[in-house]
Amino acid sequence: MDPPNVLLVILDSARARNCSLHGHDNETTPFLSEFADDAVTFEQARAPSVHSISSHASIFTGYHTEEHDVTEHKSFVRPETTVWHRIAAEHGYETGLFTPNVIVAQTSNLADVFDTCVGPKRAKFRLFDDALAPLDVQGRLSPKEYAREALGHDKPIRSLLNGVYKKLESRGGSHDPTSEGGDVYVDEFLSWVDERSGPWAACLNLMDSHTPFEPDPEYDNWSDDAAERARERVHDDEVPEPFTDAFWDHLAALEPLYDGTIRQADAAVERLVEAMDERGLLDETTVVVTSDHGEGFGERTELDTDVRLRHHSWGIDEVLTHVPLLVRSPGGDGGRTVEAPASLTRFPDVVDATIEGDDPADAFVPEGDVLSSTFRIKPPGNELSLPEPEREPYFGPWRAVYRETEDGVVKYARRGDDAIELGVPDAQRTVRRADSDGGVVAEAFDALEPQGVRLGSAAGRDVEDDVEDRLADLGYLR
C-alpha cells in the first residue's frame, strides 16, 4: 500500500490578522473556517522569515534562516537538503511545484528539486527587447516624460510601443489574473495529479494575496473610496514617493483590496479541496494550508515606532510573521485547535510523520522555542530611497523568539539595541510587557550553526532582465 500523498498550499503574503479564521472582521476566509471543522487549526503559527526566499528555504529544508543562509533572491540550495529531494529518493514520491512566484521558480533553484515545475506564466514586460521600456528608466516618469525618453532612443517607435504595452498590460504583466490567478494553478495541479499512479508530494503556491492586490470583482467586497483612489494611483504609476506621509496613507488604503485577494485565494482553496474530494484523493493526502509570510501596510514596527512597515521588506512584527496554518490528515481530524507556538520549519517533520503513519499536525509544534528572523535590509541599504544617514534603523538582523508560558504565548524580539517582550494572545492583539528581551534572543540565535544548505554565491548569478523587472513591479527591492 502506498504511503499518503502530501500537499502544501502556500497563500503567499496572507497574514493571520486579516483572515476571518483568526478573528478578522471581514469574512475573508469562509472556506478555511469550514475546512477547519475537519482539520487542525494552529492559532499561533509563525513564518520562519518575512520574505519568500528565506521562508520557502526554511519550509523546504527544516532549517532556520540563520542556519541555511538563503537570504537573497538568487540564492541556490543544495537539493539533497530539501524534503522534496529526500522523499523522492528514499520513498519514491513524485514531486511537483505549481507557482507564479518568480523568486521560487526562477531566480533561485528551489524549483529544480521538483520533478515537475509549472509557472510562472506571466507575459513579457516589453514587446521589443531591443528598445526602451518604462522599467529601464530610473524614477517615475509621466507619459509625456517617457515619450521624450523613447523618442530619444535609437528605436523610438518600438520604445513608444513598449510604453503603450506596459500601460495596457495589468501591471506590466507582473500580475494578470487570467494567466496567474489561483484557479489557473489549481487546474495545473489537478491535471498533474490525474496523471500520477503512485504517491506524490506537491507544493501549490498561490499569489492572489500578493501585491499589487487586484481581486476579481466578485471578491472585491470591502473597497472604499480611499482604496479606489489607491488602485488608480497604482494603475497610473502615480504612487507617492516612499517614506512620505502621502505614501503611508496610500499603503494603508490598499488593505481593503488585500482583504479581497485573501477572499479570492480562499475560494481557490475551496475549489481545490472539492476537486480532490471528488477524485477520492482528499482522504489519501495530508493537506497543509499556510502562508510564507504576512504583509505590512505602514504599521509602525514593534521595536522602533519611527520605522514603518512597507509590504514585507523589513521588520519582524506580528503582521509579518503570524500566519494561518491548517493541517488535514488523511481521513480528516474532526476539528481541533492548537494554541502552542508552531513553526513552519517543522514541515519536513510533518512529511515524515505522514509517511510513518503518525499524526502529522503534531509535528508542527517544536519541543523548544519558535524562531523567526530576517537580515533584510543589509548595509549600505542602497535599495532604500533615503539619505544614507537615515537608513540604519532598517538594517537587519531582525529577530524574534516565541515561547509558550503560563501566561500564554510570549514574544521576545530584538534589532540592534532595541528589544521588547510582548504577550500575543491571538492574531489580532499584542500586549507590551517589557522594553527588554531579557537576553532570550541572543541566547536562542547564538545556539544556531550553519548547516551547509546554501550552494554557491548569489552575487555570481545572472538573472534575465524581464525576471528582474517582474520582481521590481511586484514591489521587491532591487
Side-chain angles (χ1 to χ4, degrees), residues 17 27 36 59 77 91 164 209 216 219 228 260 285 299-300 356 360 378 387 406 416 455 460 464 471-472 474:
R17 184 169 296 182
E27 195 176 16
I59 296 168
V77 302
H91 300 283
V164 173
S209 49
D216 291 344
Y219 305 115
E228 291 301 327
T285 306
E299 296 92 347
R300 296 185 183 276
E356 294 166 6
K378 294 183 178 180
E406 59 182 13
L455 179 64
E464 296 179 5
L471 291 173
L474 282 166

Side-chain angles (χ1 to χ4, degrees), residues 332-375:
D333 292 291
R336 178 161 60 95
T337 299
V338 176
E339 299 287 348
S343 173
L344 300 190
T345 59
R346 303 285 296 177
F347 176 70
D349 298 276
V350 171
V351 175
D352 288 341
T354 295
I355 294 171
E356 294 166 6
D358 297 330
D359 186 341
D362 290 343
F364 266 123
V365 178
E367 292 183 2
D369 297 328
V370 168
L371 309 182
S372 298
S373 67
T374 179
F375 275 86

